[in-house]
Amino acid sequence: MTDIINTLAGIAAQDPRDELSNHRAKAKDNAQLSFEALLEPEETGEFSHRDRYAVAAFAAGLLGAPAAEEFYRDLLRDEDEVASWAIAELLDEALLELGSSSDVRGPYGTFESAALAPENVPGPWLTVGEKTGEVLAPLLVAGLEFTHLLVLHPRDSRPEHMALLFDAGWDEDSIVTLAQLVSFLNFQIRISTGLTALVHAPAAAGAPVSHHVPSEDAGGTTSARDSSASSKGSQALARVGERVRTYPELERPELFQQSGLGWVPWIAPVAEAELSDAQREALIEAGRANNPYFRLLARDPAALRARTLTDLDIFFNTTDGLGRAERELAATVASRLNGCLFCASIHSDRAAEESGRRDLVQALLDTGIEAPSSLGDPVWDAVVDASAALTLTPQAFGSAHVNALREAGLADGDIIDVLGCAAFFNWANRLMLSLGEPEVLARR
């Protein structure tokens, strides 16, 4: 099958520029396997190919990726022309709301911690209207509303959103697949955006475009939380009972920190004793069977296996390319901007350990991702700017960022690593944020 990321980046088969994307060949191959597992599985269960293409086309449109939107719309048209029309109508409505919010970019959302409230970002919400709801089944309508949440409002995810999916007919396995699909698309489209900029960047130097990180006063025309959806979610939560787990006594983190956080799921992982051979193989590392996050993702073992192998090549293949500290820095920046306190804790700690710059990393966590970045190191500044630009929704990464990375001394293979790390955490963050929440680990 044609490599989808290259297709979206405008890199034809046998194009000499394909060597750039081969810098992380295993990651590239396994990203393709992720596409096949999530968009083209032999067995779809309740989540049909048509509905997967509809979700993908809608997500691509929200991400401002016309090539990807048309690619997935074409697949959808082959399955259902009427559904393709309905998705187009829905995108028009969603993008009209986006256009009304001036220059404010995502990711939008409200932190649960009052200490982080100054960073809350109001943004547009979408509720599928009656006209579209008459064309699309309730299961897909709920899936599209969840897609909008996960693309634009990842840190607004709450247990109530799991309940709304259950209420519409989704089950635990299909919810995990839906979350994987939308999160994967956030990776796939961002890495293709980065590759497009890299292969077309002129050799001439240029200052990076400053990324605008919205604040609470940035101007959005809608409230930070969708009160209607919140009310429906509370009612659904009462109906689904124990299928959605809440944690009234959980000690939640107040601020971004290095290490010391755990994570708890909102829906049941596969019990360790009940993992099938295929699920255990998908974990790649046997010790991950002890981890509820990986046992939850094991509900879709093909997607988990391909995702894990993508992760390992991007972050742990250090025979060449970018240093580990800078890779972890890119992951930290994406996690900080998306609002994933758990991922930021893990990868900021690793960046500090690899670099010996623990105070500098903590300053990044404390102050957030600001423009222009000023960490006092040209490589780190360029990595922060590039990772933040790629994480914004829609992404703002372009040739000027490529040139800034080159001017800082990075080769194009190193830049591929920056792109891969930042893009991958737009996948990982959305899974962590949509399927559970962080907790402060008890000190022993």
Side-chain angles (χ1 to χ4, degrees), residues 13-30:
Q14 309 305 317
D15 189 318
R17 296 174 298 180
D18 187 36
E19 289 303 310
L20 280 176
S21 57
N22 281 335
H23 173 68
R24 289 283 168 252
K26 290 182 180 178
K28 176 182 174 182
D29 290 346
N30 282 291

Side-chain angles (χ1 to χ4, degrees), residues 346-428:
I346 298 296
H347 295 279
S348 63
D349 185 57
R350 187 67 178 173
E353 182 179 335
E354 292 286 342
S355 68
R357 296 171 161 181
R358 193 163 294 277
D359 290 345
L360 190 61
V361 172
Q362 187 60 48
L364 184 67
L365 294 180
D366 291 342
T367 60
I369 313 303
E370 299 180 353
S373 55
S374 54
L375 296 177
D377 180 311
V379 171
W380 277 41
D381 286 348
V383 169
V384 168
D385 269 343
S387 301
L390 201 63
T391 298
L392 289 170
T393 307
Q395 54 274 18
F397 185 89
S399 59
H401 296 94
V402 173
N403 288 328
L405 290 163
R406 287 172 175 165
E407 287 179 2
L410 299 189
D412 284 359
D414 302 328
I415 296 173
I416 290 287
D417 286 335
V418 175
L419 299 175
C421 293
F424 186 83
F425 267 81
N426 279 281
W427 185 351

Side-chain angles (χ1 to χ4, degrees), residues 281-310:
E281 181 184 354
L283 294 170
I284 305 299
E285 298 173 0
R288 292 184 172 187
N290 298 320
N291 188 312
Y293 173 67
F294 292 111
R295 286 190 283 107
L296 180 56
L297 297 186
R299 287 184 173 278
D300 188 333
L304 171 58
R305 185 177 190 280
R307 177 192 176 278
T308 300
L309 292 172
T310 304

